[in-house]
Amino acid sequence: MHTAGGRPRPPTIHDVAREAGVSRGTVSRVLNGGRNVSTAARDAVEAAILRTGYVVNRHARSLITGRSDSVGFLLTEPQERFFEDPNFNVLLRGCTEALAAHDVPLLLMIAGTEAERRRITRYITAGHVDGVLLVSSHSGDPVAVRLREAGVPLVACGKPIGQGTKVSYVAAADRDGAREMVQYLLSLGRRRVGTVTGPLDTPGGVERLAGYREVLAEAGLGADDRLIANGDYSRASGEAAAERLLAEAPDLDAVFVASDLMAQGVLAALQRAGRRVPEDVAVGGFDDSPAALATQPPMTTIRQPWGRISAEMVRVLLAQIGGEDPAAVILPTELVHRASA
Amino acid sequence: MHTAGGRPRPPTIHDVAREAGVSRGTVSRVLNGGRNVSTAARDAVEAAILRTGYVVNRHARSLITGRSDSVGFLLTEPQERFFEDPNFNVLLRGCTEALAAHDVPLLLMIAGTEAERRRITRYITAGHVDGVLLVSSHSGDPVAVRLREAGVPLVACGKPIGQGTKVSYVAAADRDGAREMVQYLLSLGRRRVGTVTGPLDTPGGVERLAGYREVLAEAGLGADDRLIANGDYSRASGEAAAERLLAEAPDLDAVFVASDLMAQGVLAALQRAGRRVPEDVAVGGFDDSPAALATQPPMTTIRQPWGRISAEMVRVLLAQIGGEDPAAVILPTELVHRASA
DNA sequence: CTGAAAGCGCTTACAG
DNA sequence: CTGAAAGCGCTTACAG
């Protein structure tokens, strides 16, 4: 029997039961872990499944279990930034694969506009997804708040600002990573070390700046606001920030940049200003994204363990869907030494 | 009433019917287009929907309609390349948004290994998805073949090689775009114009090379294989290809590169060899991906209309799911003039 | 360990 | 135009 489109109607649990000579209940039991099933019955059912090519109908299952057996991957930042950001790819790929290993499909959702935010919130709270992997570190994200209030299992990438301890998250040790880079820059003999920060309403922006400040203070180098310029993680903002730094602190001899993409922009500004990297100004990035390999010279940077981050996000989310309490996971970073510093 | 997780059990069509004082059948009718429903009934139902916050249970609907009302976005190339490729982001975002406008969720699927290919093929042919947006232009892709044989609605990004006319696709006018770039390079007075091709088992690779050859022949410039080097769309392959070009044809004065990412690599090799761009060697890319803006100098390139490509892919796929025949859509490209040529 | 039965929330002919 | 009813393919107490 075929539908209009020519796709054959797949076998159901009923076909398998007939083929195996058991009841549909028994088939369902072997499908769901095989508790309370005799070996003979299980074998017969498994053989029948192979013979018929049976695949469970997820809609029927979901209808009765109330679970969708799928999760959402939700972007709530202004999309441009994310899609420009090479980290996004790594994270998305990692999550897709980790989920696939559990046979859980990933639904991609982009909440760029207010209308989309409303639509997606309704979609999620209606239970069309069992939980969500949230990529939005901006504080006061209304979607995150609404989802949390609705009791939707949630795990954020990066510590959500101002959400208390109620929401799970997985993050790299931002402050430690920043500390390591700035210490390294100092170990090179640099003394006028500037920084280009991320957005200060994101945990990465705040923590990396804090790490920078701590190390300078510990080294006895006084705070100097002329050495600090804000960026928004985009390449263009890094370029603009570097120009400001150059104008306000021309004696700059190193810069710690809070993302590789911004560091690309910093490199461009430095080259335009005739400063050699690393001879005149050493540049350290953050992320170890693909962008770090595309620069001239290749970028010395702090590696974020994206593979582990995505795997942990999935693990924590699945656990929470299974009834466990929220959890926070912090993963160590690593200095990757290349040529820019 | 709440489930264990604390999520409220959403209202059903039954609640809406009671609230509106009609039968469940009538509610369903207004939900599904409102044919054969009186204005009074429709108004009552719509008011009841608002009041109850009703959202359709897609699983129940799918169980009966046999449709999943979702589509897959399937990557079957070796993943590394795709995830390195900035075009991927643009395409994925465009498709997600175009689908969202139709309220159709996108499932992201990555078929990197043979095991994943098998699992995903089963998943799709089991009907868990109504159709798939296929990103794989390599010839002989086994997943594409199996899906087509199973009658799954499919639309590819780029013309699938060797699949006949049975499968829908949306593509940019690769050959015309290549022609325009090479003509432009010639108009600059360049006479030793090389090219770095894409993989020659992809339509983009083949067509862009063909455009290059045509224009040179039309200009009366004889074919010279030393001016042609193959790449695989990756940055590193562009760098290696440029080195070969420089070794075999040191008098090179322009290069048409079949992707911006490869062109990044070409720029690096050229700079290392001490050639100025564009003074000594003019470089033209292809894609107008974000990579084209990140280079020094910014890249002159051929813009692929990604927004339209993704919108058309979605349109054609949805039409096909609705019963229409396959279709091919070719979209024009555009020369974007920047500083590298 | 196993079968019969109820029911998940919807859609869709079928009568009227 | 509308209601009553069947049924989509599953899971899960409930008996036995």
Side-chain angles (χ1 to χ4, degrees), chain A residues 9 13 28 54 61:
Chain A
R9 176 162 280 296
I13 206 175
S28 182
Y54 172 77
R61 171 179 287 174

